[in-house]
Amino acid sequence: MIQIGTGNQGEAWCREFLPPNVEDGTVEVVAAVDVNEAALTNAVEALPISEAECYTDAETAMAEHGRDADAVALVVPPGARTELVSLAIDHDLEILTEKPIAASMDDAVEIVELVEESDTKLGVTMSHRFRRDVTSLRRRLRSGEDGPVDYLYCRYAVNARSRGSWAGERLYDVEEQPLLVDGAIHHLDLLADMAGGRAETVFCRSWNPEYSDFAGDPNAIVQLGMDNETTIVYEGLNTAATSFNGWWAERIRANCRDASLVLDDGELRRFPYERSAENCLGHTSLEAGEPIALENREKWGNALLVERFAEWCAGGEPMETNARANLRSMAIVFAAIESAETGEAVDVREFLTGHIDPDSPLAALR
């Protein structure tokens, strides 16, 4: 693998996500690339590569290592992805990319069309769907032990109103929807996955209070209607006075026929249904729920997804978050943005159809 992007999130790839996969022989990193030469220190310090295998130009790295590399990992801003995807295809390299796959719906469709036409594998690291706590809740829901799920709620609420306190400087300068494009993409993806089926409609209200340092809307409420009649409500708030449920500590509540399941700050609890006239009064604390043990495995999140990608490249099953599948998650996000702009609910399937040409290799998604 050639690692493209070694600063910011790329540093986490070098120091956290790739090392477990290097140590167990899943991946060999043959080169690293970053336009900021200083950021390449992260690769040299954390991975078994030398300074001679580090580059500031992706095309040069691919040209020199194309024969001994199978794939590239793209950990770069979304606006740079289309060009790098084209380069990888030209050098017969499979692709693993950070989310979002692109900065716009049209660019996302273009990228997926490129990989489909060239028969190139492309996986997207929707890492929060594959966290330990989220995986445990999803498997509980899919087991059917508590009956079908009809409602899912997620709260992400943090104090990031001041410049630099949420993901550095870049997102404070995004003029449109920094939360929906860079943050809620994870939450809406994992919620839709838990619900099963496909999203039918989305309604979104976003806003930016005058006291925040964000140029674009850092807050949003999103309602999704799924084709299996499950309803989803998402609360994303970056300007709370304090952090209630931040990254890796969100609250997710699933209402099922026989129980409500609550995931909060990494703990999963079950609240069984009891027929009682007094149940509608008062308050039930989180501690009153029955604890549910979380799943166990060695890798989670991006480290697990690197392994899944390597297995796919070796002839295994496609990643769940492959390019075509991820396009549906992107449609939810950009349909939500359209809803926020128009004040109207958006039909997600019609929205996706409107961005795919009838002659496209993706026409089956129309």
Side-chain angles (χ1 to χ4, degrees):
M1 177 179 283
I2 298 172
Q3 174 69 23
I4 301 179
T6 60
N8 298 315
Q9 177 72 347
E11 180 177 2
W13 275 69
C14 293
R15 298 185 184 277
E16 299 175 37
F17 311 144
L18 287 173
N21 289 289
V22 171
E23 290 166 9
D24 65 12
T26 299
V27 167
E28 177 188 0
V29 181
V30 297
V33 181
D34 201 286
V35 293
N36 177 6
E37 188 172 359
L40 291 165
T41 301
N42 297 319
V44 174
E45 290 181 351
L47 299 169
I49 62 172
S50 67
E51 291 184 3
E53 296 161 321
C54 293
Y55 301 81
T56 55
D57 177 67
E59 186 170 11
T60 303
M62 292 186 205
E64 295 188 7
H65 291 272
R67 291 185 178 181
D68 58 346
D70 302 296
V72 295
L74 303 182
V75 190
V76 297
R81 302 250 170 87
T82 305
E83 180 181 357
L84 290 171
V85 166
S86 295
L87 277 174
I89 291 171
D90 289 344
H91 288 86
D92 295 320
L93 296 167
E94 316 291 9
I95 303 161
L96 182 63
T97 180
E98 270 282 358
K99 61 78 199 167
I101 192 172
S104 71
M105 194 66 207
D106 287 334
D107 286 350
V109 169
E110 180 183 355
I111 286 173
V112 180
E113 287 177 339
L114 285 171
V115 298
E116 295 250 341
E117 290 169 350
S118 61
D119 196 27
T120 300
K121 296 179 176 65
L122 186 148
V124 185
T125 56
M126 304 304 301
S127 56
H128 286 265
R129 192 199 293 192
F130 296 92
R131 286 164 25 185
R132 184 187 184 197
D133 54 350
V134 171
T135 297
S136 300
L137 174 55
R138 179 175 63 249
R139 288 185 177 175
R140 177 76 186 198
L141 293 173
R142 290 183 179 175
S143 75
E145 293 181 56
D146 300 300
V149 57
D150 60 87
Y151 177 67
L152 286 161
Y153 165 79
C154 175
R155 180 176 72 179
Y156 161 81
V158 301
N159 172 14
R161 62 175 68 170
S162 300
R163 175 174 286 273
S165 54
W166 185 55
E169 296 289 317
R170 178 178 66 86
L171 294 174
Y172 287 85
D173 297 322
V174 174
E175 294 184 356
E176 293 184 358
Q177 298 286 349
L179 169 70
L180 290 172
V181 173
D182 210 88
I185 176 66
H186 273 305
H187 296 132
L188 296 175
D189 172 77
L190 69 86
L191 289 167
D193 180 57
M194 283 184 186
R198 291 183 60 180
E200 285 189 330
T201 59
V202 60
F203 179 77
C204 177
R205 172 84 166 88
S206 67
W207 71 100
N208 185 11
E210 54 86 20
Y211 51 77
S212 94
D213 287 345
F214 285 91
D217 291 354
N219 305 324
I221 302 294
V222 182
Q223 179 177 316
L224 279 174
M226 307 298 288
D227 64 1
N228 60 5
E229 299 187 355
T230 301
T231 297
I232 295 171
V233 172
Y234 168 69
E235 172 192 353
L237 189 66
N238 274 305
T239 61
T242 190
S243 292
F244 296 99
N245 294 97
W247 289 109
W248 303 89
E250 302 92 338
R251 169 169 286 205
I252 302 174
R253 187 176 73 250
N255 190 69
C256 304
R257 183 192 61 216
D258 302 323
S260 289
L261 303 171
V262 178
L263 180 64
D264 190 282
D265 197 16
E267 294 186 3
L268 179 58
R269 294 180 181 269
R270 178 178 183 270
F271 298 80
Y273 169 71
E274 296 177 2
R275 185 179 180 85
S276 169
E278 298 179 358
N279 276 359
C280 62
L281 304 175
H283 169 72
T284 301
S285 67
L286 184 64
E287 292 73 21
E290 304 168 359
I292 296 178
L294 302 183
E295 302 279 337
N296 285 308
R297 61 177 302 133
E298 291 185 4
K299 298 175 186 175
W300 295 104
N302 276 344
L304 173 60
L305 289 171
V306 170
E307 181 179 274
R308 294 270 176 89
F309 176 68
E311 291 171 350
W312 183 20
C313 290
E317 291 295 316
M319 290 177 66
E320 291 179 50
T321 53
N322 61 71
R324 180 178 284 239
N326 186 253
L327 200 57
R328 293 196 173 106
S329 293
M330 294 295 289
I332 292 173
V333 170
F334 285 104
I337 291 173
E338 180 172 298
S339 174
E341 292 173 349
T342 64
E344 303 289 338
V346 175
D347 185 302
V348 179
R349 291 190 181 186
E350 287 185 4
F351 178 84
L352 180 57
T353 296
H355 287 269
I356 298 176
D357 190 89
D359 299 323
S360 165
L362 305 176
L365 293 176
R366 289 170 55 88

